Structures are given as structure tokens and as C-alpha cells.
Amino acid sequence: MNIHVPTTYEIYRGWQSVQGTGLEIGTTLVLGLGMACMLGILAFLLPTFIACRRRVHNAAVVAVVNCTLGMTGIGWVIALLMACMLETDAARHARLRHNGQTFLGTP
């Protein structure tokens, strides 16, 4: 009975044909999983980024709702709606100036 035991060279040549890009498969998987995690984190924090970019008056509230309830999906949608619909700082200051109010409520 002839049993062929591959040599180290044969194993290496077979591994090279699988590699393709020069990176080992494990490295490619780790990089791919890392990029997928980063994209997931960016998508999860999207309402917070929108609130900060729009300069929403209660951006901290949006961030808290996003981080605490965002994992439920419904919480993420609520945080996104808050980020898109809440009053911005510029609009709030214009409204307060128009009404003659100041920060503490005294004219």
C-alpha cells in the first residue's frame, strides 16, 4: 500500500495557490471583520453624528438614547428621528431673541 505524504514544499505550493493576494487567509479575514465592525459602529452611531453635525440643542440626549436604546432597533429609529427633527441651536437662539427672552428667562 503506497501512502503519499506531502512534502513541505508541496504544502507550501498549495498554500500559495490559495493565498492569491499575498496575504494569508487569516489576515484577510481579520481585516474584513475589523472593517465590518467599524462600519457597524458607524451605522449604529449615525443618529449621534447627525445630531452633532446639525448642532441640535439636545445632542447629548440624542447620544444617550442612541447608546442606551439603540440596540433595540426602535431606539435607534427614535434617536434618528430626534436627530433630524429637534430644534437646532441657531433656530433656538433666533426664537429666543424674537420672543425677547434670555438664557435665564429674564429680559
Side-chain angles (χ1 to χ4, degrees):
M1 179 183 258
N2 284 339
I3 298 175
H4 176 68
V5 178
T7 64
T8 307
Y9 179 74
E10 290 171 338
I11 294 172
Y12 174 73
R13 292 300 294 167
W15 180 252
Q16 264 190 339
S17 66
V18 172
Q19 282 179 322
T21 61
L23 294 174
E24 294 182 6
I25 292 175
T27 306
T28 306
L29 288 176
V30 168
L31 289 175
L33 285 174
M35 293 198 49
C37 286
M38 293 300 290
L39 288 174
I41 290 170
L42 286 174
F44 179 74
L45 293 175
L46 183 66
T48 303
F49 295 144
I50 290 173
C52 290
R53 180 76 173 134
R54 287 189 64 228
R55 297 177 191 232
V56 171
H57 176 62
N58 291 328
V61 174
V62 174
V64 168
V65 169
N66 189 20
C67 291
T68 57
L69 301 175
M71 293 170 272
T72 63
I74 294 170
W76 187 86
V77 170
I78 291 170
L80 184 63
L81 288 173
M82 288 173 62
C84 293
M85 297 177 73
L86 283 179
E87 186 177 37
T88 62
D89 282 336
R92 181 172 187 271
H93 291 304
R95 180 178 53 84
L96 290 176
R97 270 195 307 269
H98 178 69
N99 291 340
Q101 296 177 353
T102 60
F103 177 69
L104 297 174
T106 58

